[in-house]
Amino acid sequence: MAKVKDSGDALEDDFQASDTEYLSDGQEGGEQFDASDDENDSAANAGSKRKAGSSAAPEAAKKKKQNKSKKARAEINNTPIGKRSKADQIEALNDSQDRALEHLSSIERDERRIPVSAIKDSPFALDHTLVHLESFLKFAVEAWKTKLLVKDAHAVPSKYAQANPKGDAGNKGGKKEKKKPLESVDNLPRGAPVVLIVSASGIRAVDVIRSLPLFAEAAKIGKLFAKHLKVPEQVYFLENTCTHICVGTPNRIDKLISDGVLDLSRLELVLIDAHMDGKKRTILDIQEIRVDLFRMLGLEALEDKFKAGQTKLAFF
């Protein structure tokens, strides 16, 4: 499928009875109303009220239904995307895609939809906050201990790692703590993560990585965003390191996949970091970022994985 072009990162009237009856010509008094007139008038007025009431009732019911619908929609919008039903997640995803790819026809946008079968059912009981992100990955990735807690002992350290031997966290006094050796896997491809986490910004991506101390120590996490590392450094890292989790921004991930550097052969989960900022916006709401997001999700290599059922998409 061709890639999407670059973009910057929607009463009725009352019825009145007037029937009049006259006495016969032989009776005195001339024209007179029949005694039943009052009863007829009362019945007519009652019928008029019923008719008006029957018209107002549907309007009131309709308004009540609309108010209930608005309230339900507001509750959904205030619920984190990852905690919504699968149907509501798909609705939010498709609505954001329509806005991001508004220059395309409805048929073209439909062709780029993420398959419903690719949306992962994630009945995760805990809150979708960074403190529970590690728990979510254990929940979402089958046999996670085997896939996410291994390290390639023969991986060539990146230039960035060589320049920073203490690592990102660093160690007080320059002493490196001894760690229990992990299983060494020699036959895994380089730069082929099992989990790809997509965040709205580099700053947010840093926060995500900091929330994964267990995996940061027991596996390799690729940093695929502009902050800290440049593209050549990321290329070197992916080409020489067996990665298990990669965290990045849509634009940089798009480039690394398009250049054939980021290998998707082992990819099982694309996790959309749907963090809500101070303005109640997520990665699906900011136009320039969602344009990059759906351009990335529409890459043929990733699209084929979704359609084949090899890769799932989830929100956190």
Side-chain angles (χ1 to χ4, degrees):
M1 175 179 291
K3 293 201 298 181
V4 180
K5 294 181 179 179
D6 291 345
S7 61
D9 138 67
L11 296 166
E12 289 185 10
D13 294 333
D14 291 343
F15 171 75
Q16 296 292 339
S18 58
D19 293 337
T20 304
E21 291 187 20
Y22 295 92
L23 295 174
S24 64
D25 291 341
Q27 292 179 315
E28 295 181 356
E31 294 183 4
Q32 294 185 8
F33 290 106
D34 190 279
S36 63
D37 285 350
D38 289 341
E39 295 178 1
N40 292 336
D41 288 346
S42 298
N45 289 334
S48 175
K49 291 179 180 178
R50 284 195 299 269
K51 201 160 190 176
S54 64
S55 177
E59 290 295 330
K62 183 178 180 181
K63 186 175 182 180
K64 184 177 180 180
K65 186 176 181 180
Q66 290 175 342
N67 290 338
K68 186 176 180 180
S69 178
K70 289 181 180 179
K71 183 178 180 180
R73 177 52 55 188
E75 290 178 354
I76 292 174
N77 291 337
N78 289 329
T79 302
I81 297 177
K83 300 289 285 185
R84 300 178 191 176
S85 66
K86 184 174 181 178
D88 288 331
Q89 289 182 357
I90 294 170
E91 182 180 351
L93 186 69
N94 290 344
D95 179 67
S96 180
Q97 185 183 45
D98 288 343
R99 295 172 185 272
L101 307 179
E102 57 186 0
H103 60 287
L104 298 180
S105 67
S106 59
I107 296 178
E108 290 173 317
R109 290 197 297 267
D110 287 342
E111 291 176 347
R112 288 168 169 76
R113 296 291 191 211
I114 305 299
V116 174
S117 59
I119 308 301
K120 188 175 183 64
D121 287 318
S122 304
F124 186 65
L126 300 176
D127 290 338
H128 282 216
T129 55
L130 290 182
V131 71
H132 297 136
L133 180 54
E134 281 193 338
S135 297
F136 181 83
L137 293 182
K138 296 175 184 178
F139 167 81
V141 179
E142 187 177 353
W144 63 273
K145 289 184 178 180
T146 301
K147 298 171 182 176
L148 300 180
L149 295 184
V150 294
K151 182 177 291 186
D152 185 354
H154 301 289
V156 178
S158 66
K159 293 179 180 179
Y160 178 74
Q162 292 173 347
N164 299 272
K166 295 181 182 180
D168 293 332
N171 295 303
K172 293 182 179 180
K175 295 182 179 180
K176 187 175 181 180
E177 298 179 359
K178 292 184 179 180
K179 299 176 183 178
K180 183 179 179 180
L182 298 169
E183 180 184 1
S184 175
V185 179
D186 300 327
N187 59 347
L188 294 178
R190 303 295 186 261
V194 175
V195 177
L196 181 60
I197 303 177
V198 188
S199 295
S201 68
I203 294 176
R204 174 63 182 180
V206 170
D207 291 338
V208 169
I209 294 173
R210 286 173 177 168
S211 71
L212 302 173
L214 170 63
F215 298 119
E217 291 182 3
K220 286 289 186 180
I221 298 180
K223 303 174 182 180
L224 311 184
F225 46 91
K227 190 176 179 66
H228 298 317
L229 294 173
K230 296 181 180 179
V231 173
E233 293 174 300
Q234 291 166 338
V235 170
Y236 185 90
F237 174 83
L238 292 172
E239 289 180 342
N240 295 279
T241 310
C242 177
T243 58
H244 305 86
I245 299 173
C246 282
V247 183
T249 51
N251 186 280
R252 185 58 58 89
I253 294 173
D254 181 353
K255 178 173 178 56
L256 294 170
I257 293 177
S258 299
D259 290 347
V261 179
L262 184 58
D263 186 349
L264 305 182
S265 62
R266 293 200 305 150
L267 186 64
E268 293 187 15
L269 179 67
V270 174
L271 187 60
I272 305 299
D273 175 18
H275 166 70
M276 191 174 290
D277 66 13
K279 296 182 179 180
K280 304 295 183 180
R281 301 176 304 173
T282 71
I283 192 172
L284 297 181
D285 300 317
I286 306 172
Q287 181 64 5
E288 59 271 23
I289 299 177
R290 65 185 173 196
V291 167
D292 291 338
L293 174 65
F294 287 105
R295 183 179 61 211
M296 181 207 84
L297 293 175
L299 291 174
E300 185 175 358
L302 192 52
E303 191 178 58
D304 289 344
K305 298 281 291 184
F306 286 138
K307 290 181 177 179
Q310 299 170 342
T311 301
K312 297 291 186 179
L313 183 143
F315 292 95
F316 186 84

PDB file of all heavy atoms in Angstrom, residues 2 27 73 87 90 105 116 141 143 145 149 156 161 164 167-168 172 183 197 199 236 243 256 259 265-266 286 288 309:
ATOM      1  N   ALA A   2       0.493   2.200  -0.772  1.00  0.00           N
ATOM      2  CA  ALA A   2       1.287   3.421  -0.834  1.00  0.00           C
ATOM      3  C   ALA A   2       1.165   4.178   0.458  1.00  0.00           C
ATOM      4  O   ALA A   2       0.121   4.211   1.104  1.00  0.00           O
ATOM      5  CB  ALA A   2       0.798   4.291  -1.994  1.00  0.00           C
ATOM      6  N   GLN A  27     -92.230  24.403  18.776  1.00  0.00           N
ATOM      7  CA  GLN A  27     -91.890  24.663  20.163  1.00  0.00           C
ATOM      8  C   GLN A  27     -91.670  26.143  20.386  1.00  0.00           C
ATOM      9  O   GLN A  27     -91.197  26.858  19.507  1.00  0.00           O
ATOM     10  CB  GLN A  27     -90.648  23.875  20.568  1.00  0.00           C
ATOM     11  CG  GLN A  27     -90.876  22.359  20.605  1.00  0.00           C
ATOM     12  CD  GLN A  27     -89.641  21.635  20.988  1.00  0.00           C
ATOM     13  OE1 GLN A  27     -88.566  21.962  20.473  1.00  0.00           O
ATOM     14  NE2 GLN A  27     -89.770  20.661  21.882  1.00  0.00           N
ATOM     15  N   ARG A  73     -22.149   9.883  26.394  1.00  0.00           N
ATOM     16  CA  ARG A  73     -20.986  10.215  25.570  1.00  0.00           C
ATOM     17  C   ARG A  73     -19.923  10.926  26.386  1.00  0.00           C
ATOM     18  O   ARG A  73     -18.719  10.674  26.224  1.00  0.00           O
ATOM     19  CB  ARG A  73     -21.428  11.069  24.391  1.00  0.00           C
ATOM     20  CG  ARG A  73     -20.305  11.549  23.468  1.00  0.00           C
ATOM     21  CD  ARG A  73     -19.407  10.443  22.995  1.00  0.00           C
ATOM     22  NE  ARG A  73     -20.162   9.387  22.359  1.00  0.00           N
ATOM     23  CZ  ARG A  73     -19.626   8.232  21.985  1.00  0.00           C
ATOM     24  NH1 ARG A  73     -18.344   7.974  22.227  1.00  0.00           N
ATOM     25  NH2 ARG A  73     -20.360   7.301  21.404  1.00  0.00           N
ATOM     26  N   ALA A  87     -15.646  -1.725  21.247  1.00  0.00           N
ATOM     27  CA  ALA A  87     -16.414  -0.951  20.261  1.00  0.00           C
ATOM     28  C   ALA A  87     -16.110   0.537  20.377  1.00  0.00           C
ATOM     29  O   ALA A  87     -15.963   1.228  19.358  1.00  0.00           O
ATOM     30  CB  ALA A  87     -17.910  -1.207  20.449  1.00  0.00           C
ATOM     31  N   ILE A  90     -12.591   1.271  19.011  1.00  0.00           N
ATOM     32  CA  ILE A  90     -12.592   1.289  17.544  1.00  0.00           C
ATOM     33  C   ILE A  90     -13.206   2.590  17.029  1.00  0.00           C
ATOM     34  O   ILE A  90     -12.697   3.193  16.070  1.00  0.00           O
ATOM     35  CB  ILE A  90     -13.367   0.064  17.008  1.00  0.00           C
ATOM     36  CG1 ILE A  90     -12.621  -1.224  17.356  1.00  0.00           C
ATOM     37  CG2 ILE A  90     -13.566   0.167  15.495  1.00  0.00           C
ATOM     38  CD1 ILE A  90     -13.408  -2.484  17.075  1.00  0.00           C
ATOM     39  N   SER A 105     -10.350  10.308   0.376  1.00  0.00           N
ATOM     40  CA  SER A 105     -11.766  10.002   0.219  1.00  0.00           C
ATOM     41  C   SER A 105     -12.172   8.979   1.275  1.00  0.00           C
ATOM     42  O   SER A 105     -11.315   8.316   1.889  1.00  0.00           O
ATOM     43  CB  SER A 105     -12.040   9.436  -1.171  1.00  0.00           C
ATOM     44  OG  SER A 105     -11.441   8.158  -1.329  1.00  0.00           O
ATOM     45  N   VAL A 116     -10.582  -4.836  12.832  1.00  0.00           N
ATOM     46  CA  VAL A 116     -11.189  -5.019  14.155  1.00  0.00           C
ATOM     47  C   VAL A 116     -10.535  -6.185  14.888  1.00  0.00           C
ATOM     48  O   VAL A 116     -10.332  -6.138  16.111  1.00  0.00           O
ATOM     49  CB  VAL A 116     -12.711  -5.261  14.011  1.00  0.00           C
ATOM     50  CG1 VAL A 116     -13.326  -5.592  15.370  1.00  0.00           C
ATOM     51  CG2 VAL A 116     -13.390  -4.039  13.400  1.00  0.00           C
ATOM     52  N   VAL A 141       1.333  -9.636  26.990  1.00  0.00           N
ATOM     53  CA  VAL A 141       2.270 -10.425  26.192  1.00  0.00           C
ATOM     54  C   VAL A 141       2.320 -11.852  26.730  1.00  0.00           C
ATOM     55  O   VAL A 141       2.725 -12.090  27.871  1.00  0.00           O
ATOM     56  CB  VAL A 141       3.682  -9.815  26.206  1.00  0.00           C
ATOM     57  CG1 VAL A 141       4.648 -10.664  25.401  1.00  0.00           C
ATOM     58  CG2 VAL A 141       3.640  -8.391  25.664  1.00  0.00           C
ATOM     59  N   ALA A 143       3.606 -15.433  27.517  1.00  0.00           N
ATOM     60  CA  ALA A 143       4.950 -15.942  27.830  1.00  0.00           C
ATOM     61  C   ALA A 143       5.953 -14.795  27.904  1.00  0.00           C
ATOM     62  O   ALA A 143       7.055 -14.861  27.357  1.00  0.00           O
ATOM     63  CB  ALA A 143       5.394 -16.972  26.791  1.00  0.00           C
ATOM     64  N   LYS A 145       7.898 -13.696  30.200  1.00  0.00           N
ATOM     65  CA  LYS A 145       9.203 -13.928  30.827  1.00  0.00           C
ATOM     66  C   LYS A 145      10.234 -14.396  29.811  1.00  0.00           C
ATOM     67  O   LYS A 145      11.403 -14.015  29.865  1.00  0.00           O
ATOM     68  CB  LYS A 145       9.072 -14.957  31.956  1.00  0.00           C
ATOM     69  CG  LYS A 145       8.348 -14.448  33.184  1.00  0.00           C
ATOM     70  CD  LYS A 145       8.352 -15.484  34.294  1.00  0.00           C
ATOM     71  CE  LYS A 145       7.673 -14.947  35.538  1.00  0.00           C
ATOM     72  NZ  LYS A 145       7.657 -15.943  36.644  1.00  0.00           N
ATOM     73  N   LEU A 149      12.396 -10.936  29.086  1.00  0.00           N
ATOM     74  CA  LEU A 149      13.427 -10.961  30.122  1.00  0.00           C
ATOM     75  C   LEU A 149      14.643 -11.755  29.689  1.00  0.00           C
ATOM     76  O   LEU A 149      15.192 -12.554  30.433  1.00  0.00           O
ATOM     77  CB  LEU A 149      12.856 -11.545  31.418  1.00  0.00           C
ATOM     78  CG  LEU A 149      11.760 -10.741  32.094  1.00  0.00           C
ATOM     79  CD1 LEU A 149      11.375 -11.391  33.411  1.00  0.00           C
ATOM     80  CD2 LEU A 149      12.184  -9.299  32.325  1.00  0.00           C
ATOM     81  N   VAL A 156      26.531  -6.074  20.392  1.00  0.00           N
ATOM     82  CA  VAL A 156      27.557  -5.030  20.369  1.00  0.00           C
ATOM     83  C   VAL A 156      26.967  -3.762  20.969  1.00  0.00           C
ATOM     84  O   VAL A 156      25.923  -3.303  20.529  1.00  0.00           O
ATOM     85  CB  VAL A 156      28.004  -4.740  18.918  1.00  0.00           C
ATOM     86  CG1 VAL A 156      29.043  -3.627  18.905  1.00  0.00           C
ATOM     87  CG2 VAL A 156      28.555  -6.012  18.295  1.00  0.00           C
ATOM     88  N   ALA A 161      26.029   3.913  24.317  1.00  0.00           N
ATOM     89  CA  ALA A 161      26.293   3.159  25.544  1.00  0.00           C
ATOM     90  C   ALA A 161      27.776   3.210  25.895  1.00  0.00           C
ATOM     91  O   ALA A 161      28.151   3.282  27.062  1.00  0.00           O
ATOM     92  CB  ALA A 161      25.835   1.710  25.374  1.00  0.00           C
ATOM     93  N   ASN A 164      28.495   6.333  27.544  1.00  0.00           N
ATOM     94  CA  ASN A 164      27.845   6.451  28.837  1.00  0.00           C
ATOM     95  C   ASN A 164      27.834   5.083  29.525  1.00  0.00           C
ATOM     96  O   ASN A 164      26.804   4.422  29.603  1.00  0.00           O
ATOM     97  CB  ASN A 164      26.400   6.958  28.666  1.00  0.00           C
ATOM     98  CG  ASN A 164      26.354   8.328  28.022  1.00  0.00           C
ATOM     99  OD1 ASN A 164      26.412   9.344  28.684  1.00  0.00           O
ATOM    100  ND2 ASN A 164      26.244   8.332  26.699  1.00  0.00           N
ATOM    101  N   GLY A 167      25.167   3.952  32.008  1.00  0.00           N
ATOM    102  CA  GLY A 167      23.774   3.773  31.590  1.00  0.00           C
ATOM    103  C   GLY A 167      22.972   5.003  31.924  1.00  0.00           C
ATOM    104  O   GLY A 167      23.460   5.968  32.513  1.00  0.00           O
ATOM    105  N   ASP A 168      21.701   4.992  31.558  1.00  0.00           N
ATOM    106  CA  ASP A 168      20.846   6.156  31.780  1.00  0.00           C
ATOM    107  C   ASP A 168      20.622   6.425  33.256  1.00  0.00           C
ATOM    108  O   ASP A 168      20.588   7.555  33.708  1.00  0.00           O
ATOM    109  CB  ASP A 168      19.489   5.945  31.095  1.00  0.00           C
ATOM    110  CG  ASP A 168      19.635   5.933  29.587  1.00  0.00           C
ATOM    111  OD1 ASP A 168      20.573   6.573  29.080  1.00  0.00           O
ATOM    112  OD2 ASP A 168      18.817   5.294  28.933  1.00  0.00           O
ATOM    113  N   LYS A 172      25.722   5.315  41.829  1.00  0.00           N
ATOM    114  CA  LYS A 172      26.449   6.173  42.752  1.00  0.00           C
ATOM    115  C   LYS A 172      27.843   5.624  42.983  1.00  0.00           C
ATOM    116  O   LYS A 172      28.031   4.428  43.173  1.00  0.00           O
ATOM    117  CB  LYS A 172      25.688   6.245  44.084  1.00  0.00           C
ATOM    118  CG  LYS A 172      24.348   6.967  43.967  1.00  0.00           C
ATOM    119  CD  LYS A 172      23.670   7.059  45.322  1.00  0.00           C
ATOM    120  CE  LYS A 172      22.347   7.804  45.211  1.00  0.00           C
ATOM    121  NZ  LYS A 172      21.669   7.920  46.510  1.00  0.00           N
ATOM    122  N   GLU A 183      19.386 -15.477  30.637  1.00  0.00           N
ATOM    123  CA  GLU A 183      19.516 -16.398  29.516  1.00  0.00           C
ATOM    124  C   GLU A 183      20.037 -15.671  28.282  1.00  0.00           C
ATOM    125  O   GLU A 183      19.579 -14.592  27.941  1.00  0.00           O
ATOM    126  CB  GLU A 183      18.146 -17.014  29.204  1.00  0.00           C
ATOM    127  CG  GLU A 183      18.166 -17.988  28.035  1.00  0.00           C
ATOM    128  CD  GLU A 183      16.782 -18.489  27.705  1.00  0.00           C
ATOM    129  OE1 GLU A 183      15.824 -18.070  28.373  1.00  0.00           O
ATOM    130  OE2 GLU A 183      16.665 -19.301  26.772  1.00  0.00           O
ATOM    131  N   ILE A 197       5.984   0.589  21.823  1.00  0.00           N
ATOM    132  CA  ILE A 197       5.141   1.566  22.527  1.00  0.00           C
ATOM    133  C   ILE A 197       5.261   2.919  21.824  1.00  0.00           C
ATOM    134  O   ILE A 197       6.368   3.414  21.620  1.00  0.00           O
ATOM    135  CB  ILE A 197       5.554   1.699  24.003  1.00  0.00           C
ATOM    136  CG1 ILE A 197       5.490   0.337  24.694  1.00  0.00           C
ATOM    137  CG2 ILE A 197       4.668   2.699  24.727  1.00  0.00           C
ATOM    138  CD1 ILE A 197       5.955   0.344  26.143  1.00  0.00           C
ATOM    139  N   SER A 199       4.413   6.867  21.833  1.00  0.00           N
ATOM    140  CA  SER A 199       4.035   8.006  22.668  1.00  0.00           C
ATOM    141  C   SER A 199       3.962   9.277  21.837  1.00  0.00           C
ATOM    142  O   SER A 199       4.491   9.345  20.732  1.00  0.00           O
ATOM    143  CB  SER A 199       5.040   8.188  23.811  1.00  0.00           C
ATOM    144  OG  SER A 199       5.019   7.080  24.697  1.00  0.00           O
ATOM    145  N   TYR A 236      22.424   2.466  14.418  1.00  0.00           N
ATOM    146  CA  TYR A 236      23.521   1.636  14.903  1.00  0.00           C
ATOM    147  C   TYR A 236      23.044   0.703  16.013  1.00  0.00           C
ATOM    148  O   TYR A 236      23.378  -0.486  16.043  1.00  0.00           O
ATOM    149  CB  TYR A 236      24.663   2.520  15.411  1.00  0.00           C
ATOM    150  CG  TYR A 236      25.897   1.741  15.826  1.00  0.00           C
ATOM    151  CD1 TYR A 236      26.900   1.464  14.912  1.00  0.00           C
ATOM    152  CD2 TYR A 236      26.041   1.277  17.132  1.00  0.00           C
ATOM    153  CE1 TYR A 236      28.029   0.734  15.280  1.00  0.00           C
ATOM    154  CE2 TYR A 236      27.152   0.548  17.513  1.00  0.00           C
ATOM    155  CZ  TYR A 236      28.143   0.278  16.583  1.00  0.00           C
ATOM    156  OH  TYR A 236      29.247  -0.454  16.944  1.00  0.00           O
ATOM    157  N   THR A 243      16.818  -6.200  20.622  1.00  0.00           N
ATOM    158  CA  THR A 243      15.898  -5.402  21.427  1.00  0.00           C
ATOM    159  C   THR A 243      14.625  -6.188  21.723  1.00  0.00           C
ATOM    160  O   THR A 243      14.206  -7.034  20.938  1.00  0.00           O
ATOM    161  CB  THR A 243      15.530  -4.096  20.705  1.00  0.00           C
ATOM    162  OG1 THR A 243      14.951  -4.424  19.433  1.00  0.00           O
ATOM    163  CG2 THR A 243      16.742  -3.228  20.499  1.00  0.00           C
ATOM    164  N   LEU A 256      12.268   4.752  10.767  1.00  0.00           N
ATOM    165  CA  LEU A 256      13.104   3.581  10.997  1.00  0.00           C
ATOM    166  C   LEU A 256      12.504   2.303  10.384  1.00  0.00           C
ATOM    167  O   LEU A 256      13.241   1.431   9.919  1.00  0.00           O
ATOM    168  CB  LEU A 256      13.335   3.383  12.496  1.00  0.00           C
ATOM    169  CG  LEU A 256      14.166   4.501  13.162  1.00  0.00           C
ATOM    170  CD1 LEU A 256      14.134   4.370  14.676  1.00  0.00           C
ATOM    171  CD2 LEU A 256      15.605   4.486  12.648  1.00  0.00           C
ATOM    172  N   ASP A 259      12.972   2.728   6.517  1.00  0.00           N
ATOM    173  CA  ASP A 259      14.367   2.517   6.111  1.00  0.00           C
ATOM    174  C   ASP A 259      14.799   1.071   6.289  1.00  0.00           C
ATOM    175  O   ASP A 259      15.953   0.727   5.998  1.00  0.00           O
ATOM    176  CB  ASP A 259      15.293   3.435   6.920  1.00  0.00           C
ATOM    177  CG  ASP A 259      15.125   4.907   6.532  1.00  0.00           C
ATOM    178  OD1 ASP A 259      14.485   5.177   5.497  1.00  0.00           O
ATOM    179  OD2 ASP A 259      15.633   5.773   7.276  1.00  0.00           O
ATOM    180  N   SER A 265       9.605  -8.548  12.529  1.00  0.00           N
ATOM    181  CA  SER A 265       9.375  -9.992  12.456  1.00  0.00           C
ATOM    182  C   SER A 265       8.902 -10.600  13.771  1.00  0.00           C
ATOM    183  O   SER A 265       8.182 -11.598  13.779  1.00  0.00           O
ATOM    184  CB  SER A 265      10.658 -10.697  11.993  1.00  0.00           C
ATOM    185  OG  SER A 265      11.715 -10.498  12.919  1.00  0.00           O
ATOM    186  N   ARG A 266       9.306 -10.019  14.907  1.00  0.00           N
ATOM    187  CA  ARG A 266       8.894 -10.563  16.209  1.00  0.00           C
ATOM    188  C   ARG A 266       7.808  -9.723  16.866  1.00  0.00           C
ATOM    189  O   ARG A 266       7.366 -10.038  17.982  1.00  0.00           O
ATOM    190  CB  ARG A 266      10.089 -10.638  17.163  1.00  0.00           C
ATOM    191  CG  ARG A 266      11.153 -11.650  16.769  1.00  0.00           C
ATOM    192  CD  ARG A 266      12.006 -12.007  17.971  1.00  0.00           C
ATOM    193  NE  ARG A 266      12.599 -10.835  18.610  1.00  0.00           N
ATOM    194  CZ  ARG A 266      12.881 -10.745  19.904  1.00  0.00           C
ATOM    195  NH1 ARG A 266      12.596 -11.731  20.719  1.00  0.00           N
ATOM    196  NH2 ARG A 266      13.438  -9.646  20.394  1.00  0.00           N
ATOM    197  N   ILE A 286      -4.341  15.400  18.870  1.00  0.00           N
ATOM    198  CA  ILE A 286      -3.463  16.459  18.394  1.00  0.00           C
ATOM    199  C   ILE A 286      -3.161  16.217  16.916  1.00  0.00           C
ATOM    200  O   ILE A 286      -2.525  15.223  16.553  1.00  0.00           O
ATOM    201  CB  ILE A 286      -2.164  16.504  19.218  1.00  0.00           C
ATOM    202  CG1 ILE A 286      -2.507  16.627  20.713  1.00  0.00           C
ATOM    203  CG2 ILE A 286      -1.273  17.657  18.775  1.00  0.00           C
ATOM    204  CD1 ILE A 286      -1.310  16.479  21.630  1.00  0.00           C
ATOM    205  N   GLU A 288      -1.224  17.283  14.307  1.00  0.00           N
ATOM    206  CA  GLU A 288       0.069  17.009  13.691  1.00  0.00           C
ATOM    207  C   GLU A 288       0.654  15.669  14.147  1.00  0.00           C
ATOM    208  O   GLU A 288       1.408  15.034  13.407  1.00  0.00           O
ATOM    209  CB  GLU A 288       1.067  18.137  13.977  1.00  0.00           C
ATOM    210  CG  GLU A 288       1.350  18.422  15.443  1.00  0.00           C
ATOM    211  CD  GLU A 288       0.398  19.435  16.051  1.00  0.00           C
ATOM    212  OE1 GLU A 288      -0.715  19.610  15.518  1.00  0.00           O
ATOM    213  OE2 GLU A 288       0.775  20.053  17.070  1.00  0.00           O
ATOM    214  N   GLY A 309      -2.909 -11.146  11.652  1.00  0.00           N
ATOM    215  CA  GLY A 309      -3.173 -11.542  13.022  1.00  0.00           C
ATOM    216  C   GLY A 309      -1.929 -11.784  13.849  1.00  0.00           C
ATOM    217  O   GLY A 309      -1.987 -12.346  14.941  1.00  0.00           O
TER     218      GLY A 309
END
